[in-house]
Structures are given as C-alpha cells and as structure tokens.
Amino acid sequence: MIDQDLLEPERKRKKKKKKNKKKKKLKQELLQHGPELVQEVVRAIEEEDIEVLDEVVEALHSADLADLFEQLTTEDRAALVSHLGEELDPDVLTELDEVARDHVITEMQDQHVVKAISELETDDAIHLLEDLDEDEQRKILDALPEDDRRAVEEGLSYPEESAGRLLQKKLIAVPSLWSVGKVIDFLREESSLPEDFYEIFVVDPLHHPIGTVRLSHLLRSGREVLVSDIMDTDPKVVPVDMDQEEVAFLFRQYDLTSMGVVDQNGRLIGMITVDDVVDVIDEEVQEDILRMAGVQDTDILETVWEASRNRIMWLVVNLGTALLASTVIAQFDATIEQMVALAILMPIVASLGGNAGNQAMTVAVRALATKELTPSNAMRVVTRELSIGLLNGSALAVLIGGLTAIWFKNPELGGVIALAMVVNVIVAGLAGIMVPLTLEKMKVDPALASTVLVTAITDVIGFLAFLGFAAFFLL
Amino acid sequence: MIDQDLLEPERKRKKKKKKNKKKKKLKQELLQHGPELVQEVVRAIEEEDIEVLDEVVEALHSADLADLFEQLTTEDRAALVSHLGEELDPDVLTELDEVARDHVITEMQDQHVVKAISELETDDAIHLLEDLDEDEQRKILDALPEDDRRAVEEGLSYPEESAGRLLQKKLIAVPSLWSVGKVIDFLREESSLPEDFYEIFVVDPLHHPIGTVRLSHLLRSGREVLVSDIMDTDPKVVPVDMDQEEVAFLFRQYDLTSMGVVDQNGRLIGMITVDDVVDVIDEEVQEDILRMAGVQDTDILETVWEASRNRIMWLVVNLGTALLASTVIAQFDATIEQMVALAILMPIVASLGGNAGNQAMTVAVRALATKELTPSNAMRVVTRELSIGLLNGSALAVLIGGLTAIWFKNPELGGVIALAMVVNVIVAGLAGIMVPLTLEKMKVDPALASTVLVTAITDVIGFLAFLGFAAFFLL
C-alpha cells in the first residue's frame, strides 16, 4: 500500500538491513496489513511465540493493531488480550469496531479496563463506554478516579450522536490580555495539556469564548504581541446538544481542525477535533448508504443470526409491496390469458421505472444530505426531474416500442408498451424526488424509507399502465 | 442551524443591539443560509442595492458565499461577479461546485482570475485549473508569475486524483539539529509561510523527511530542546503518485492532520492537509453511492440534457438485462397460458431476489471500500452470505408459500413458489458478495457495475426457477 522504501528514512533503512530477512518480511507485512501478517500472528499465538507477538505489537500503530484484532477468531483474540494484559494500548480499544471492542473488553481484566479508560481522552472514553450494557458501565465508572468519572458521566448525559458525546474537556483557554510569550510559557509549564490541539481559545472572565488563535499564528507572532490582536474574533462554536451531523457539516464547510463547544449559558466547556469528525462523516454516510439498501450499518460485524434477522424485516416490507404489485396484475388475468406476450413484457416496464426512480431518488437523498437540495431550489429540481423523466422515458419508449413491434410482430403492442414506459419513467422521476423531499419534511430519514416507497410506486404504476393500456387499446 | 445567541460573544451582541432590526434579521439569515437570504440578495442585485450586497459579502464566510453563488440564477450570478470585481475572495472559487465555478471564472475578468489564482495555495490553484478547458488553462498559466506557474504546472503533471494534485508546496522543513527556540525565531522572521500548518517536518541534508513535530509539542517544549529529541521518528509520508483514496485511508487510519509527500527519490516535496482530505472522503463516497444507482457524481449540478444523457446509458444497459429476463419468461409462454397465476406471482420471486441481492451487495461494496472485507476474510463472508441467504430464503418461502396456497387455493403452487424463493434468495446472497469481489479482483470499481450484474442474475434466476419448477411439477 505504502511504498516501503519511501516510508522509511535513510538512516533507519540502513540499520534494518542488518536484521534478518524474516523480520524484514514481517515488517513489510505489518505496513501492508497483509493477510500473511494475520497468519503469522495466528501461528505465533498458537505456538505461544512471545518474541514475534511482542515485536508485532510494538511495531504496529494502534489503529493497525485494532485491525489485526478484528481479523482474529474469538479464541485467538482472547489469547492475545490475555498475553498483552495491561500492556494493551488503550487507543486500540477506541479504534476497534463495536463487536470486537465489546469482546476485547469482556476478555480484559476489570482493573485493566479501568486503567485504560482513565488514560483516554473524554470523548474516547465516552465512545467506549456508551456501547457497554448498563451494569458493566456502572462497574467501570465506579472504579474510575473521581475527575474522570465525573467528566465521562457528564458526557454520557448528553444525547447520543450530539456534540456533547464528541467533546474533549481538556483544552487551552486564556484571557485576551495575555501576550504570546505568556501563552508559550504557560504551555511549557503546564503539565495537564491535551495530547494534541490545533488552536487555543481566548475567553472572557465568564469563560465565554471571544476568539481563537491557531497554533501556526501563535508561533509566528512575537512574544510581546497580545492574543487579542491575533485572534480570530468570530470563533465557530457549537452548543453541546447539536447533532453530530450538523457539527460535521460545519467542520467541512469551514475547513476546521477544532471547534469549541459551549453550554446553555454560552460558556466554553470543551472542544471537538477534526479526527473525531472524520469518523462521524464516515459513520453518517455509511449509515445512509446501507439504509438505502435496507441493511443495518453494523451488518458486516453481525453474526449470521443478527444480520439475517435485521435484513428479513426489510425483505418482508418488500414482500408486501411485491404482493401489492401482484394484486394489480391479478386484475388483468383475463387480459394476460388472451395475450401471453403481456406477461413476457410487463417486468420490463416495472424494472426500468424502478431504475429511473432509483437514479432520481439517490440524487435527491444525497443532495439533501449535502444540503445541495434546499427549500430554495426544490421546485427547480422537481421540474428538472420531470424533464429528465420525459426525455429518458421517450427515448426508452422508442427503443422498447420498436423492439416489441419487431419481436412480437405487433406494432400496436409496441405502441402500448412505449406509452406505458413514458408514463412510468416520468412517474419514477417524480416519485424519486418527491418521496425523499416529503420524508425530509416529515423528519423521517429519507435514506431509510425512500427506496421501498419509490419501488412500490414504480412497480404498481408500471404494471397498471402497461396492462391497463393493453386492455383498453388491444382487446 | 447554529443557535445565534451561543455563537455571538457577549461584547459583540451588545454592540449589535444598537443596529436596526432589519440588519439584525439579515445577519441571522446569513448564519442560517436561509432561503430568505437568497431572496434578499436577489432583490439587492436587481435593485442594485450596493449597501446590502457589500454587507452580505463582508459578513459571509467564503464557503457560505460560495453556497450563495450556487443558488443564484446565471444572470444574478454574473451581476454579482461583476459587482465584486477584484474584491471577490479567491477562496470562494475553491469552494464553488464545478458548474458554478466554471461559470464564475468565465464571468470574471482575466486579470482578476490570474490574481485570484496567484493568491491561492498550490493545491487550490490546481483544483481550480484542472477542470478548465485547455485554452483557458494555458491563458491563465501564461499570465501567472513564474514561481506560481511552475508549481501549478508541476501539480497538473501528476495523475488526476493522486496525492500530487492535493499537495501544497509551502511547508516548514528544518534540520534535526535546530532547537525549538531556533524554529520559533525562524517562524517569526520568515515571511513566506503556509497560511496554516499543523506540524513541522524535520529533514536530512538531502531533504528526506526523518521526523515530524506537531505544533502543540513544539509549543510545550523549552527553547533549548532539539527538534530531534521531540520529533516523531516514524513520519507517515506518501509518494506523490499515490491514489487519493489511499491517502484518505491513511489520514483516517492514523488520525492525521497533515502528511508529507515525497518524490521518487524520497525527497519531501509538499504536504497534504486534513481539510483537503475531508473533501476527498466526501467525493469518493459520494461517487460510490451515486455509481451504485447508475448516476454521475455531478448529476445534481448538470443541466437536464447532460443528466438525461448520462442517466440514459445506464437505463439502456438495464433495458438489456430486462430483455434478457423477458426471453427467459418467453420460454415458458405455454406454461403461463395454462396457468395465469404464474404471471401474477413471478415478479415477487424476482423482486425479492433483487432486494436480497442488493442487501448483500451493498454490504460487500462498502466493506471493500472501508477495507473491512479483505482476502483474509473473504471466504468467511461468502459462507456468511450463504447462511443468511438460506435463513432468509426459507423464512420468505414459508411466508409466500403459505400466502400463495391460500390466495390461489393451490398448495402445490405454494410449494413451487417457496422452492423458487429459497433458490433465488440464496443465489442473490452469493451473487451479492461474489460479483463485487470479482470486480475488485479485476480492478473494476465494484460500485460501478455490481448493481446491474446482481439484478440481472436475480431476475433471470428468479423467473427461471419459478417458471421452470412450475412447468416441471405442476403441468
């Protein structure tokens, strides 16, 4: 994945050449998350080859180690957890997917879990605890040092998926009268700093944020300069109960690396950093894609039973709409009996309507999510979909009408299917845009229910139009 | 969107109360991107109300101003561009969507475009120029100052969607023997710094990166400390030709805010910052979602004609697969003539197979994109899909078999549809996972072609199994 030679600085590379080949190969595998690494680790676990295990764990970034954990079977995972004991880097826990994390925490000794959580930043600790069941959560919380416990409990008191769950309480806040030199001296002396930060906050005596100074601007200013002279006086801050999707939108819109969070009284209570927001962006969009297909966002992590149970619900809803379409067909059984060609052709009209509807719907759902589709331009987009439906419906009508006329040597049948196609593709475009817009207005996630509604509409209209026109014009 | 009261620091808020009500309302609208803002601006443009226009432009962040531009009609947009002249913030150009950007650049005077581009960072300038047609590109390049021109031309020489297109040439690189104090003094004196940066790079005499120091670590260290003592000695760097999707993966995996880019000789030639990577993440995932539905990622920005032309290609491919399914049905025309109930029920089998296949496929496509599905666990995931298919196929079979037996008072027909359903849902699960895996192996984007292939398979198998079993068992 990464070119090994480019990743390694000269000095290190030379040193490594002295090591034996096997180790070199292992290191390369490590950098590539290769399947051979997983095999090697599995072997090492089973043969209790402690040397190799320690080397792997030491060489891997916590995120890569988390990936490795996820790929192990539960037995091997448990063995590796017990081998590592309290050496297990707490950051690995935050990088694990839900299922593997639950499992690893269960396998860890309680005092190790408590130690790990107390070493994490607030937002990561919250992220870890929020998925645990209440008993376990309580047990760990009670064992945490007072300060940590209070910070985590406060975080857990905010709604799920809100800014409060993402915030980290440690930040640098200074009065506006401080000079750059004083800030730097403060940072050098203070021991309890956040692990990383990108800007400092300037606050008034009531701890209301009145500005921010990016570190790069702090560094380029002379010691005697006042922070009030270099601060950005229009700091973007968010209320603690803002939805994380909105928070992510602001980070993207304004290219932020961190942002202050304020409480109901406008006091600065924490900050959110871009790395967490990147995870939120991934999470939200992943959820949208999978929801459109009727799948849980955790599907790939679930057992066969869980995934099966979650997916069947959606399939049963679809069975309902498919039955609805069948009852439409059933109204025309006499027509089909007279002309079996109708049965051969009818899925084409429904299927293409479904595809056209899906195109329009996906564009609409995404445009709503990215705020490109707004009340200001909704009318314009609806008209646009109608026009596209008319154009593409006509094009498909000519194609399928011609093919049908030739295939069945029946120009009238060609005319009927062409007409049905135009109608269904236009209806599909309209449904594709109106359904998500209506759901959004009703505060229902458009990604969740649009697909099934649009398909139901295009199926019903597809069969109704084709068979109806056939009954009317041909028989 | 943002609570106005929380956004505004105390001081500013008091000051503002003195202003008149209309302005207050405008400011609120500005912060909320409300539709009324667009209306107000349109009114101001048409009535040439310069005072309001200037106030809006001054108050808006470049990203919000870009959003505003996107929502205007072409006439109003042109009028606003000409009103702003060279006052138009170059950052607005980088925030605009492709279509609006093309339009705004066409409307701008040439010397203003040149001036704007020379003020941007390399990556933003490249981003702006890469979409222009060659003549216009050449004209602007030739007018740029020598240094800027060379930097942009170099960027444009890298493949599209590669690290080279995202990189910014300005960065801070220091020798390892420098002290923290010396670095800070250098930053204070140097005039040509990047607008923002999050870490400094430590390089050897050949300009190979040997470490990085985050600004927060630089700030908390004493002046006499050597950068070599506080640097991260395993800096993540990428080769200039790495695909942007891989770059984005590394940023996410390692929670990075910036990353060095090296040339073929391992020399540091630029850096990529997280704000650009967030855009890449958005872009890539947006592309995937829309591709799965057979739509261009720029669809919402396209004219009716463009969107219609791009969408019809996908629909014609689908017409092909629908016709294929119809030829399968046509083989059983005699069977259908004898038993019209088959025509009524057959779409159910195909439709549910399609839905089940789409579930498995979407999970697979996403898991491939997020690297949760790898060669190490592919076999396990295939087995999993087979099991889910068997479970859900059986559940649906019982349901639809029972309903059919009751509806048509024909238990044998119920048995046949149940059997066909089990077969099709299992095939659907298998196709849903195998098609994306195979495409990925063939280096074809799974998001692009999976949907149509999976649907073709589930349609054909659905009709074939149901009508075939019916012909065999019932007649």
Side-chain angles (χ1 to χ4, degrees), chain B residues 132-382:
Chain B
L132 297 182
D133 61 49
E134 227 165 289
D135 284 355
E136 211 167 351
Q137 215 179 72
R138 198 64 263 163
K139 206 169 63 184
I140 294 172
L141 278 172
D142 288 340
L144 281 179
E146 178 70 11
D147 276 5
D148 290 340
R149 185 176 60 77
R150 222 170 323 147
V152 172
E153 279 180 338
E154 191 189 315
L156 287 171
S157 74
Y158 301 119
E160 271 186 50
E161 310 208 332
S162 72
R165 294 282 179 117
L166 298 172
L167 75 78
Q168 166 184 336
K169 293 192 76 72
K170 271 190 196 169
L171 50 75
I172 316 295
V174 302
S176 60
L177 286 175
W178 277 27
S179 66
V180 167
K182 184 153 184 184
V183 172
I184 295 181
D185 292 343
F186 168 78
L187 292 175
R188 285 185 184 151
E189 281 153 28
E190 177 67 30
S191 62
S192 165
L193 295 176
E195 197 188 304
D196 201 8
F197 51 98
Y198 313 108
E199 58 187 355
I200 61 165
F201 295 89
V202 184
V203 291
D204 70 10
L206 290 172
H207 224 70
H208 296 133
I210 56 174
T212 52
V213 182
R214 298 187 215 170
L215 297 191
S216 60
H217 290 197
L218 194 71
L219 274 165
R220 66 173 67 160
S221 307
R223 281 187 65 87
E224 68 295 341
V225 175
L226 293 182
V227 290
S228 57
D229 291 332
I230 52 169
M231 70 185 184
D232 174 357
T233 56
D234 187 20
K236 298 268 179 303
V237 297
V238 291
V240 68
D241 56 357
M242 181 182 267
D243 187 88
Q244 65 174 12
E245 207 166 349
E246 290 295 328
V247 174
F249 175 78
L250 293 174
F251 267 84
R252 270 182 290 198
Q253 179 79 346
Y254 303 117
D255 290 347
L256 305 175
T257 40
S258 66
M259 179 153 59
V261 179
V262 294
D263 65 13
Q264 266 69 17
N265 302 311
R267 292 200 184 88
L268 187 66
I269 56 167
M271 69 170 178
I272 296 176
T273 50
V274 66
D275 52 317
D276 297 315
V277 172
V278 168
D279 295 340
V280 169
I281 294 174
D282 276 352
E283 215 177 274
E284 294 283 340
V285 76
Q286 180 85 341
E287 199 181 87
D288 270 16
I289 303 179
L290 293 170
R291 276 185 170 183
M292 274 198 269
V295 194
Q296 296 279 314
D297 51 348
T298 49
D299 189 279
I300 188 84
L301 310 174
E302 292 167 351
T303 63
V304 168
W305 281 105
E306 289 165 342
S308 163
R309 200 188 53 215
N310 288 327
R311 289 192 201 176
I312 191 82
M313 288 190 266
W314 176 257
L315 293 175
V316 169
V317 174
N318 274 296
L319 177 59
T321 68
L323 279 168
L324 182 69
S326 287
T327 60
V328 172
I329 303 172
Q331 306 310 308
F332 298 94
D333 53 353
T335 318
I336 294 172
E337 231 160 13
Q338 279 181 269
M339 195 176 199
V340 77
L342 298 178
I344 295 172
L345 293 171
M346 66 186 189
I348 297 180
V349 181
S351 158
L352 280 167
N355 283 314
N358 193 37
Q359 289 181 326
M361 183 205 80
T362 307
V363 171
V365 168
R366 287 314 299 160
L368 282 171
T370 58
K371 309 205 182 197
E372 282 170 304
L373 177 54
T374 62
S376 309
N377 64 2
M379 243 345 271
R380 211 192 307 164
V381 178
V382 172

Side-chain angles (χ1 to χ4, degrees), chain A residues 63-64 67 188 194 196 216 220-221 252-254 282 286 299 308 311 326 344 359 366 384-385 392, chain B residues 63-64 67 188 194 196 216 220-221 252-254 282 286 294 299 308 311 326 344 366 384-385 392:
Chain A
D64 297 329
D67 284 350
R188 286 183 183 150
D196 201 7
S216 60
R220 67 173 64 159
S221 307
R252 272 184 289 198
Q253 178 81 346
Y254 302 118
D282 275 353
Q286 180 85 341
D299 188 279
S308 164
R311 290 192 201 174
S326 287
I344 296 172
Q359 289 181 326
R366 288 313 301 160
R384 180 172 172 275
E385 284 301 339
N392 286 355
Chain B
D64 297 329
D67 285 351
R188 285 185 184 151
D196 201 8
S216 60
R220 66 173 67 160
S221 307
R252 270 182 290 198
Q253 179 79 346
Y254 303 117
D282 276 352
Q286 180 85 341
D299 189 279
S308 163
R311 289 192 201 176
S326 287
I344 295 172
R366 287 314 299 160
R384 181 172 172 274
E385 283 302 338
N392 286 356

Side-chain angles (χ1 to χ4, degrees), chain A residues 105-377:
Chain A
I105 289 180
T106 318
E107 292 294 330
M108 282 171 77
Q109 292 179 36
D110 283 354
Q111 77 265 33
H112 294 165
V113 177
V114 170
K115 182 164 167 281
I117 287 182
S118 65
E119 282 171 18
L120 290 171
E121 286 177 349
T122 339
D123 58 326
D124 290 330
I126 293 167
H127 192 55
L128 225 79
L129 282 167
E130 65 186 358
D131 294 328
L132 297 181
D133 62 48
E134 224 165 290
D135 284 356
E136 212 168 351
Q137 214 181 73
R138 198 64 261 163
K139 207 170 61 184
I140 295 172
L141 278 172
D142 287 340
L144 281 179
E146 178 71 10
D147 275 6
D148 292 339
R149 184 176 60 76
R150 221 169 324 147
V152 173
E153 279 180 338
E154 191 188 316
L156 288 171
S157 74
Y158 300 120
E160 271 185 51
E161 310 208 331
S162 72
R165 295 282 178 116
L166 298 171
L167 75 81
Q168 168 184 334
K169 292 193 76 73
K170 270 191 194 168
L171 52 75
I172 317 294
V174 302
S176 61
L177 285 174
W178 277 26
S179 66
V180 167
K182 183 152 186 184
V183 173
I184 295 180
D185 293 343
F186 168 78
L187 293 175
R188 286 183 183 150
E189 282 153 26
E190 177 67 30
S191 61
S192 165
L193 295 177
E195 197 189 304
D196 201 7
F197 52 99
Y198 314 107
E199 59 185 356
I200 61 166
F201 295 88
V202 183
V203 291
D204 70 10
L206 290 172
H207 223 69
H208 296 135
I210 56 173
T212 54
V213 182
R214 299 188 214 169
L215 298 192
S216 60
H217 290 198
L218 195 69
L219 274 164
R220 67 173 64 159
S221 307
R223 282 186 65 85
E224 69 296 340
V225 175
L226 293 182
V227 293
S228 57
D229 291 332
I230 53 170
M231 72 185 184
D232 174 357
T233 55
D234 188 20
K236 297 268 178 303
V237 297
V238 292
V240 68
D241 56 357
M242 181 183 268
D243 187 88
Q244 63 175 13
E245 208 167 346
E246 290 295 327
V247 174
F249 175 78
L250 293 174
F251 267 83
R252 272 184 289 198
Q253 178 81 346
Y254 302 118
D255 290 347
L256 305 175
T257 40
S258 66
M259 179 153 59
V261 180
V262 294
D263 66 12
Q264 267 69 14
N265 302 313
R267 294 202 180 86
L268 186 66
I269 56 168
M271 68 170 177
I272 296 176
T273 52
V274 68
D275 52 318
D276 297 315
V277 171
V278 168
D279 294 340
V280 169
I281 294 174
D282 275 353
E283 215 177 275
E284 294 282 341
V285 77
Q286 180 85 341
E287 200 180 86
D288 269 16
I289 302 178
L290 293 171
R291 276 185 169 183
M292 273 199 269
V295 195
Q296 295 280 315
D297 50 347
T298 51
D299 188 279
I300 188 84
L301 310 173
E302 292 168 352
T303 63
V304 168
W305 281 105
E306 288 165 343
S308 164
R309 200 189 52 215
N310 287 327
R311 290 192 201 174
I312 191 81
M313 288 191 266
W314 176 257
L315 293 175
V316 169
V317 174
N318 273 294
L319 177 60
T321 68
L323 279 168
L324 182 68
S326 287
T327 59
V328 172
I329 303 173
Q331 306 310 309
F332 297 93
D333 54 353
T335 317
I336 293 170
E337 232 159 13
Q338 280 180 269
M339 195 176 202
V340 78
L342 297 178
I344 296 172
L345 291 170
M346 67 185 186
I348 298 179
V349 181
S351 160
L352 281 167
N355 283 313
N358 194 37
Q359 289 181 326
M361 181 205 82
T362 307
V363 171
V365 168
R366 288 313 301 160
L368 281 170
T370 58
K371 308 203 182 196
E372 282 169 304
L373 177 54
T374 61
S376 309
N377 65 1

Side-chain angles (χ1 to χ4, degrees), chain B residues 55-115:
Chain B
E55 196 191 348
V56 168
V57 171
E58 199 203 339
L60 283 181
H61 185 281
S62 55
D64 297 329
L65 194 52
D67 285 351
L68 175 63
F69 266 107
E70 287 167 11
Q71 307 234 344
L72 294 177
T73 61
T74 48
E75 293 80 34
D76 289 341
R77 207 187 273 154
L80 188 54
V81 170
S82 108
H83 168 69
L84 288 171
E86 65 173 336
E87 298 297 307
L88 180 60
D89 180 353
D91 286 330
V92 172
L93 296 177
T94 68
E95 304 280 355
L96 284 172
D97 66 51
E98 273 174 53
V99 172
R101 190 167 57 217
D102 261 14
H103 179 224
V104 168
I105 290 181
T106 318
E107 291 294 332
M108 283 171 76
Q109 292 179 37
D110 283 355
Q111 77 264 33
H112 294 166
V113 176
V114 170
K115 180 163 169 282

